[in-house]
């Protein structure tokens, strides 16, 4: 049985003065029937991991090397050392803004796994790709080319995030989400075996909010959400946690 996940992605948002939101989210996550993960800026990971009890701490990116002459980068080992248990890799903002390709993302995910971090691997089509009818081809390529050779439900989380739904207020229809999540599940089972494929959490991400979280997360192969804007404030993220808690 997969346990539902409510994951927040703060992106480049959040100062120490916003810490109270983290504490409120932590308090609301006690006794919920889902895992809550907050992927905050690296500057907040240490304090968050020390001061919270009920949520997992995550980073948003990592380098493929453990250390070295890579000015401005951060390694999986450093994120782990700061207290994180999870790291996002391959978010579309990094794929687009930093030209990160599937190969690099695969290496990042592998490095995260080697450090004992759980990797949240993001995939998703652009609007142009959807409109030309190649969504499933894109998803298949991103999925299979970004995943490490050996995965388990304990080490990997997939986040399906249509690029056109991120930060736009637009969401795919329930049928569209169902189609892609069923497809990802089938690909995981075909390529990694039924047992492992069945055990991996597949999150939906892209304009998830308190209003749509329940309906989206009720879809069979949606095992939670990766939430950007609505995770920044306790008042908007807690209702999403509660909605996922019901499924
Ligand atoms: P959004 O972002 O919820 O603000 O659309 C989701 C994400 O980018 O992970």
């Amino acid at each position: 049985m997969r346990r539902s996940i409510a994951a927040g992605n703060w992106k480049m948002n959040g100062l120490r003065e916003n810490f109270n939101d983290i504490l409120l989210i932590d308090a609301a996550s006690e006794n919920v029937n889902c895992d809550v993960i907050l992927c905050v800026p690296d500057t907040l990971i240490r304090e968050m991991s020390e001061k919270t009890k009920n949520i997992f701490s995550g980073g948003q990116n990592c380098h493929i090397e453990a250390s070295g002459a890579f000015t401005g980068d951060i390694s999986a080992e450093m994120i782990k050392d700061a207290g994180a248990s999870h790291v996002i890799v391959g978010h579309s903002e990094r794929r687009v803004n930093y030209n990160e390709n599937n190969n690099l993302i695969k290496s990042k995910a592998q490095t995260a796994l080697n450090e004992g971090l759980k990797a949240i691997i993001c995939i998703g089509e652009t609007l142009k790709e959807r409109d030309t009818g190649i969504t499933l081809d894109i998803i298949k390529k991103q999925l299979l080319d970004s995943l490490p050779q050996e995965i388990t439900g304990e080490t990997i989380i997939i986040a399906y995030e249509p690029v056109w739904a991120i930060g736009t207020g637009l969401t795919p229809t329930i049928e569209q989400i169902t189609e892609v999540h069923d497809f990802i599940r089938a690909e995981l089972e075909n390529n990694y075996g039924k047992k492992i494929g069945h055990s991996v959490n597949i999150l939906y991400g892209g304009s998830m909010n308190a209003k749509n979280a329940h309906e989206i997360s009720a879809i069979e192969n949606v095992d939670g959400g990766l939430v950007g804007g609505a995770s920044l404030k306790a008042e908007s993220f807690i209702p999403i946690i509660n909605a996922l808690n019901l499924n």
Side-chain angles (χ1 to χ4, degrees):
M1 215 13 216
R2 294 179 302 270
R3 192 172 151 84
S4 194
I5 293 173
N9 172 13
W10 276 24
K11 311 191 181 187
M12 198 173 73
N13 298 291
L15 300 172
R16 294 186 66 218
E17 69 186 30
N18 304 111
F19 212 83
N20 199 42
D21 282 287
I22 295 179
L23 296 178
L24 290 171
I25 291 166
D26 182 52
S29 302
E30 196 179 359
N31 299 324
V32 292
N33 191 24
C34 61
D35 289 342
V36 179
I37 308 165
L38 260 194
C39 298
V40 291
D42 298 327
T43 47
L44 295 179
I45 291 176
R46 186 183 172 132
E47 194 174 351
M48 180 164 101
S49 65
E50 285 176 356
K51 292 191 179 162
T52 58
K53 287 201 277 300
N54 308 305
I55 60 180
F56 293 96
S57 307
Q60 302 170 11
N61 175 44
C62 64
H63 198 273
I64 57 173
E65 301 290 343
S67 61
F70 303 103
T71 303
D73 272 314
I74 190 155
S75 71
E77 190 181 29
M78 291 166 181
I79 294 171
K80 176 87 192 284
D81 189 50
S85 51
H86 293 68
V87 63
I88 296 172
V89 294
H91 190 281
S92 68
E93 284 151 17
R94 294 210 61 92
R95 288 179 185 263
V96 172
N97 299 336
Y98 299 89
N99 292 321
E100 293 195 1
N101 61 25
N102 293 327
N103 231 349
L104 178 73
I105 291 157
K106 179 179 182 166
S107 299
K108 289 186 177 203
Q110 187 61 59
T111 307
L113 264 51
N114 295 347
E115 290 302 331
L117 289 170
K118 199 160 173 169
I120 304 172
I121 302 177
C122 302
I123 55 176
E125 83 286 359
T126 62
L127 193 54
K128 191 164 166 228
E129 288 161 348
R130 176 160 286 278
D131 286 346
T132 33
I134 57 169
T135 295
L136 297 183
D137 301 321
I138 295 293
I139 293 299
K140 180 171 182 172
K141 183 149 183 58
Q142 287 185 349
L143 180 74
L144 299 182
D145 290 0
S146 305
L147 276 172
Q149 214 146 10
E150 285 185 30
I151 64 164
T152 71
E154 288 303 307
T155 58
I156 289 286
I157 297 166
I158 307 290
Y160 167 56
E161 300 203 301
V163 178
W164 52 275
I166 295 176
T168 59
L170 302 171
T171 47
T173 63
I174 293 300
E175 291 71 31
Q176 288 170 327
I177 298 175
T178 303
E179 180 189 37
V180 177
H181 279 246
D182 286 353
F183 179 77
I184 294 171
R185 176 74 61 215
E187 287 298 324
L188 288 172
E189 291 183 353
N190 288 342
N191 289 281
Y192 291 91
K194 240 190 148 45
K195 195 162 167 232
I196 288 175
H198 185 76
S199 69
V200 174
N201 278 72
I202 309 172
L203 312 184
Y204 168 78
S207 298
M208 190 180 252
N209 57 39
K211 286 206 182 88
N212 61 27
H214 184 61
E215 193 184 13
I216 293 174
S217 61
I219 300 171
E220 192 189 338
N221 278 313
V222 174
D223 308 308
L226 180 56
V227 185
S231 71
L232 289 171
K233 292 264 166 268
E235 65 191 34
S236 50
F237 194 40
I238 291 170
I240 298 178
I241 295 170
N242 291 336
L244 296 178
N245 180 30
L246 297 175
N247 289 317

